Amino acid sequence: MTYETVRESDPAVADALEDERTRQNETLAMIASENHVSEAVMEAQSSELTNKYAEGYPGERYYGGCEYADEVEEIAIDRAKELWGADHVNVQPHSGSQANMGVYLAMLEPGDKILSLDLTHGGHLSHGHPANFAGQVYEVEQYEVDDETGYIDYEQLRETAAEFEPDIIVSGYSAYPREIEWETIQDAADAVDAYHLADIAHITGLVAAGVHSSPVGIADFVTGSTHKTIRAGRGGIIMCDEEYADDIDAAVFPGSQGGPLMHNVAGKAVGFGEALAPEFEQYAQQTVDNARALGDRLQEHGLDLVSDGTDNHLVLIDLRPSHPDTTGKDVEAALEEAGIVLNANTVPGETRSAFNPSGIRAGTPGLTTRGFDEAACEEIADLIYEIVDAPHDDSVIAEVSDRVDELTDEYPLYD
Ligand SMILES: *Cc1c(COP(=O)(O)O)cnc(C)c1O
């Protein structure tokens, strides 16, 4: 894509867009929730559908002229059903948070109870944090990961559920490197007659490709984002059994959204189509293999990984045991200067603050899209280690930066 037309009318925005493309090309995106979509997805997202109001659902719209919007949305729905095997799919949520809002609105009354993982243990704002509407509208209790093992403390989850008697239990996380035991959480929900929402935002692509177990058919509701491990552009999605279909659809529109972002629904359709091709399974497997290679090498350098490793696309490094005086923000800033972009993250048993935490989270979805294999990820681990060990040493940062330049040239992204 070129920004020639934008440039003619609006050089300031064109400059920023071009700078952003250069930034993505010349740095390594290791934020675990980010990825790079294809040019085809971007083209679909910038189509004339951005002009179209299509309130309602295919075949039952509140506006005329929706025949092509219907086609696009039906393609997205059919492909999503094939990817995840769900009975019913709503592809309209504007984001993963909106998808969760749709489920809460459909199934809960204000004041009802949500049981979810603590944010500092890997949960998400939309699971009931006080700063999010979910924490303000509903009563929230939280479960945790075991401080020692870093794994979900399923026993504590069960006990908390028995005491708290939630209306819904939320599983699925933002910074959790391990497989999730969907059945165990479903049993805990059944024991207290609660719904179970599995939010697979981070692992949507891994689940679609079968490299992470699926909660579809186990949990009552499955929500996801469409821009993380699946490369379908910004957005959210809700999956459920037919019995909840009408309630879910009504909660998304008119319950919590107006017209769907049809250009993004087109992006989802194209991205889902790409994910149905056999190469996507290889991509997802490589993403997981890469995270393992990255984690193993970081451990060889003596760094501490929460849960002692990873089963998915991310690793969570606890800096305290190896580098007690270095904070996540120190490392995040030095890495960014060297061209490796990731984020500081809280770790279980956090002793600093959410703003300047003790960990860093690193993901492989973006690197894998660029073509990185295990050997390349081991080298990235070496570079990360050099920075962790000397975050304030300009000569180390310059050295790593030179190597990042070579790697981004070797694994090009957008023309
Ligand atoms: C990323 C994420 C979401 C969705 O976030 P949006 O930015 O609203 O798309 C929801 N749940 C979890 C667990 C996430 O990690």
Side-chain angles (χ1 to χ4, degrees):
M1 285 210 301
T2 68
Y3 299 115
E4 273 167 39
T5 320
V6 182
R7 176 155 300 287
E8 271 169 36
S9 64
D10 195 330
V13 171
D15 280 349
L17 295 177
E18 274 175 11
D19 288 349
E20 172 62 12
R21 171 161 49 208
T22 304
R23 188 192 70 78
Q24 291 190 23
N25 281 338
E26 297 183 357
T27 60
L28 297 174
M30 293 189 74
I31 292 175
S33 48
E34 289 186 3
N35 209 329
H36 305 287
V37 300
S38 68
E39 303 257 352
V41 169
M42 284 197 283
E43 221 172 79
Q45 285 184 314
S46 64
S47 68
E48 288 78 1
L49 277 173
T50 196
N51 300 326
K52 189 69 199 103
Y53 250 111
E55 284 183 352
Y57 290 97
E60 319 160 71
R61 305 284 190 186
Y62 289 81
Y63 291 93
C66 286
E67 58 267 46
Y68 305 112
D70 281 5
E71 276 180 30
V72 164
E73 186 164 345
E74 275 164 0
I75 292 170
I77 290 168
D78 289 345
R79 290 179 181 169
K81 285 182 177 172
E82 206 176 330
L83 281 169
W84 290 286
D87 280 357
H88 179 74
V89 180
N90 186 310
V91 296
Q92 293 191 5
H94 301 334
S95 74
S97 298
Q98 292 290 119
N100 290 339
M101 186 187 228
V103 173
Y104 302 149
L105 188 65
M107 308 316 297
L108 305 180
E109 297 296 329
D112 276 359
K113 298 177 182 179
I114 297 176
L115 175 61
S116 60
L117 185 70
D118 189 296
L119 183 72
T120 64
H121 285 233
H124 190 259
L125 287 164
S126 63
H127 295 179
H129 190 273
N132 184 271
F133 91 97
Q136 295 160 18
V137 173
Y138 307 107
E139 189 184 339
V140 180
E141 185 64 60
Q142 307 224 278
Y143 58 94
E144 299 186 341
V145 302
D146 184 303
D147 272 357
E148 290 300 310
T149 65
Y151 282 69
I152 299 293
D153 189 340
Y154 292 100
E155 193 48 46
Q156 188 244 347
L157 188 165
R158 226 183 334 256
E159 284 165 11
T160 311
E163 268 167 44
F164 180 58
E165 298 184 326
D167 297 287
I168 195 165
I169 297 181
V170 183
S171 64
Y173 316 107
S174 296
Y176 185 67
R178 292 300 182 176
E179 276 269 343
I180 299 163
E181 295 179 21
W182 307 116
E183 303 262 11
T184 308
I185 299 173
Q186 185 59 43
D187 289 346
D190 288 342
V192 295
D193 209 16
Y195 293 115
H196 176 195
L197 161 60
D199 174 357
I200 60 169
H202 260 258
I203 53 173
T204 328
L206 306 185
V207 169
V211 305
H212 187 293
S213 63
S214 175
V216 175
I218 298 172
D220 302 292
F221 307 97
V222 177
T223 53
S225 63
T226 53
H227 49 275
K228 296 182 183 176
T229 45
I230 195 153
R231 298 170 294 197
R234 287 275 142 181
I237 178 175
I238 305 175
M239 299 178 253
C240 62
D241 288 344
E242 209 49 59
E243 66 174 303
Y244 302 120
D246 289 347
D247 288 341
I248 288 293
D249 287 352
V252 174
F253 172 82
S256 56
Q257 292 187 174
L261 309 179
M262 281 313 305
H263 56 305
N264 276 8
V265 173
K268 291 173 191 180
V270 172
F272 294 168
E274 292 172 357
L276 282 166
E279 300 81 52
F280 186 76
E281 217 174 295
Q282 289 162 25
Y283 163 74
Q285 185 62 53
Q286 188 67 53
T287 299
V288 171
D289 293 345
N290 283 350
R292 188 169 308 126
L294 177 81
D296 286 350
R297 187 66 154 240
L298 291 167
Q299 285 182 311
E300 281 169 30
H301 283 296
L303 295 184
D304 188 83
L305 298 190
V306 171
S307 84
D308 205 29
T310 178
D311 297 327
N312 60 25
H313 62 296
L314 67 86
V315 297
L316 191 55
I317 304 167
D318 186 346
L319 296 164
R320 293 172 303 181
S322 61
H323 295 78
D325 300 325
T326 304
T327 72
K329 278 282 174 206
D330 290 338
V331 174
E332 178 191 298
L335 279 170
E336 181 163 359
E337 222 183 307
I340 297 176
V341 186
L342 45 62
N343 62 290
N345 213 95
T346 52
V347 290
E350 182 58 65
T351 41
R352 289 195 177 91
S353 68
F355 189 70
N356 191 8
S358 304
I360 49 175
R361 186 185 68 161
T364 52
L367 297 186
T368 309
T369 294
R370 291 185 88 125
F372 276 55
D373 61 6
E374 290 97 321
C377 287
E378 283 169 3
E379 175 163 12
I380 297 299
D382 295 343
L383 299 178
I384 290 175
Y385 177 72
E386 282 182 42
I387 298 274
V388 166
D389 211 33
H392 304 296
D393 186 331
D394 289 339
S395 66
V396 169
I397 292 172
E399 242 172 68
V400 172
S401 175
D402 286 347
R403 190 57 195 130
V404 168
D405 287 345
E406 286 166 19
L407 283 164
T408 55
D409 283 350
E410 197 180 330
Y411 298 92
L413 191 53
Y414 296 118
D415 287 336

